[in-house]
Amino acid sequence: MGFGDYPKEYNPAVHGPYDPARYYGKPDTPFGQLKISEIGSWFARRNKSPSAVAGACSRAWWRWQHKYMQPKKVGMAPLFQLLVGSMTFFYVINYGKMKHHRNYKYH
Amino acid sequence: MLSRVALRSAAARQSASTALVARGSATEVSGVRDEKNFPRPVRGEPGKVRLGFIPEEWFQFFHSKTGVTGPYTFGVGLTTYLCSKEIFVMEHEYYTGLSLLIMVYVACKKLGPGIASWLDKEVDSIENEWNEGRRSTIASLEKSIEAEKKAQWSAEGQELLMQAKKENVLLQLEAAYRERAMQAYNEVKRRLDYQLEKSNLERRLSQRAMVDWIVRNVTKAITPEQEKQTLDRCIADLSAIAARQ
């Protein structure tokens, strides 16, 4: 699978039009339905190659797009989500400098 | 269609191993379309959020475990923890953020509904505009189908009319034929009548001439003696008849 190709599991004759938000491989148990003890084995089963991680990020992006950004009549919610997300991101990357503004010495 | 022909000829030249490369074209791969598990994606409604941006599903995730207030309790507890331990550092930008948050909130409440209704109207008008061409095309095609059907119907009428005209022509031919037959009959009859009349006249004339000629000759042949004898005989006959009575 090179750049710009469909995933290996995608078969247009069976799956129809390609949905970039969808995983066409064999589905595992959703993360939200796991028990705490199963998380380790679930994570061990994951494909952690760079292309798989990129694919997962891409699917997440498109799922978010389809759900919040692309419907016909959207509100401000996706923009607020982007705002909060970017605020959190920049807070995290600047956290090393923020730490110096702490007011209390003992907690 | 041409591309399909090209694909087929290309596939014929390719070996089986390289045919797998052209995965994108639907003609190459086989399988039954699975409509149940892989339905055609449709454009849905936007996802529900709470507090402006938090997905509803995250709250639903809490509901089964902690009840309705659980997610709020978790959020408030987490915030309290972060603040009290000063993991979340409130430096000067934090207060800028608070004032921005208040401004954004007020702007959303004040301007939001108006802008939302205006945008919805715009969306509807754009959608109508985009659908307008399709709708008008469908309408015009339906209209032309109607016109075509009507034209076919009237063409059938033309056929009927043609048949009627043909029958009319046949009738006219028949009428002309009969008229001419009648004319010929009349002409022949007239000529025959003429011949008949002529021969009758000739016979009558010749008869009259013959009668005249015979009478003349007979009267010429009667002598005065004969006349006298006849007269005497007549008188004698008359007296005989008178005596008998």
Side-chain angles (χ1 to χ4, degrees):
Chain A
M1 195 173 80
F3 282 107
D5 281 357
Y6 287 123
K8 261 203 274 306
E9 298 87 3
Y10 172 62
N11 183 348
V14 175
H15 300 138
Y18 182 66
D19 183 1
R22 185 153 191 165
Y23 179 61
Y24 285 99
K26 196 171 171 297
D28 205 336
T29 318
F31 184 74
Q33 294 171 12
L34 288 177
K35 295 193 170 58
I36 300 283
S37 58
E38 293 167 353
I39 288 180
S41 62
W42 184 87
F43 195 72
R45 284 200 299 276
R46 299 275 69 75
N47 183 0
K48 289 175 280 291
S49 70
S51 68
V53 171
C57 288
S58 163
R59 286 197 301 276
W61 164 254
W62 280 110
R63 203 159 57 238
W64 180 77
Q65 281 272 320
H66 286 167
K67 192 166 177 187
Y68 294 106
M69 213 67 174
Q70 303 277 9
K72 197 154 54 181
K73 288 172 182 171
V74 294
M76 287 292 279
L79 304 180
F80 285 151
Q81 284 171 355
L82 273 184
L83 193 68
V84 171
S86 56
M87 274 161 61
T88 312
F89 176 70
F90 283 106
Y91 195 87
V92 168
I93 63 172
N94 285 316
Y95 195 66
K97 291 164 192 159
M98 301 269 190
K99 269 200 295 202
H100 302 302
H101 293 276
R102 277 177 177 164
N103 293 318
Y104 295 93
K105 199 167 179 183
Y106 305 107
H107 283 283
Chain B
M1 195 153 157
L2 276 176
S3 63
R4 202 173 295 171
V5 171
L7 255 181
R8 207 178 296 147
S9 61
R13 266 186 273 112
Q14 272 173 343
S15 64
S17 59
T18 53
L20 273 174
V21 175
R23 178 177 282 283
S25 56
T27 49
E28 295 279 337
V29 285
S30 60
V32 183
R33 176 85 171 88
D34 188 356
E35 289 279 359
K36 190 159 147 285
N37 294 321
F38 298 91
R40 194 179 175 80
V42 287
R43 195 182 194 187
E45 290 295 309
K48 281 204 176 67
V49 290
R50 287 196 200 179
L51 303 176
F53 69 98
I54 306 176
E56 176 74 21
E57 286 81 1
W58 295 8
F59 289 89
Q60 298 299 332
F61 175 73
F62 276 94
H63 276 186
S64 58
K65 299 171 181 68
T66 62
V68 177
T69 53
Y72 297 104
T73 314
F74 172 74
V76 171
L78 187 66
T79 314
T80 313
Y81 168 71
L82 291 177
C83 290
S84 79
K85 288 287 178 187
E86 223 174 13
I87 297 167
F88 179 66
V89 184
M90 292 185 222
E91 23 71 280
H92 54 281
E93 290 283 2
Y94 170 70
Y95 298 99
T96 315
L98 265 189
S99 58
L100 276 173
L101 179 71
I102 289 166
M103 281 195 279
V104 166
Y105 179 78
V106 171
C108 276
K109 286 288 162 192
K110 285 275 173 200
L111 308 174
I115 293 178
S117 64
W118 175 70
L119 282 176
D120 284 356
K121 224 183 292 165
E122 287 288 303
V123 165
D124 285 339
S125 76
I126 288 172
E127 197 190 6
N128 278 334
E129 209 175 285
W130 286 356
N131 279 332
E132 193 52 47
R134 192 168 57 90
R135 272 203 293 267
S136 64
T137 309
I138 288 173
S140 71
L141 285 177
E142 273 173 358
K143 207 188 282 176
S144 57
I145 286 171
E146 283 295 312
E148 175 63 29
K149 275 182 182 165
K150 202 177 170 198
Q152 282 178 6
W153 175 72
S154 59
E156 278 169 22
Q158 282 292 328
E159 233 166 57
L160 220 74
L161 190 67
M162 213 60 202
Q163 215 171 348
K165 278 182 176 174
K166 274 179 187 167
E167 275 174 19
N168 202 5
V169 167
L170 284 179
L171 275 178
Q172 281 178 13
L173 281 175
E174 180 73 20
Y177 166 73
R178 285 189 184 192
E179 194 189 335
R180 283 176 191 184
M182 196 67 204
Q183 200 181 350
Y185 166 76
N186 280 335
E187 289 295 318
V188 168
K189 188 172 181 299
R190 211 157 58 83
R191 278 164 174 73
L192 287 178
D193 281 353
Y194 168 73
Q195 292 294 336
L196 184 67
E197 200 71 15
K198 205 177 87 176
S199 63
N200 278 350
L201 196 67
E202 275 174 356
R203 233 176 45 211
R204 212 161 54 238
L205 282 176
S206 61
Q207 197 178 4
R208 198 188 295 165
M210 178 77 92
V211 167
D212 281 356
W213 179 73
I214 289 171
V215 167
R216 206 165 52 238
N217 277 343
V218 167
T219 43
K220 210 191 284 173
I222 296 172
T223 55
E225 293 165 8
Q226 272 178 339
E227 206 173 338
K228 200 171 177 231
Q229 272 179 6
T230 312
L231 211 60
D232 287 346
R233 181 69 184 264
C234 283
I235 290 167
D237 282 353
L238 278 172
S239 56
I241 293 166
R244 221 185 298 158
Q245 281 179 343

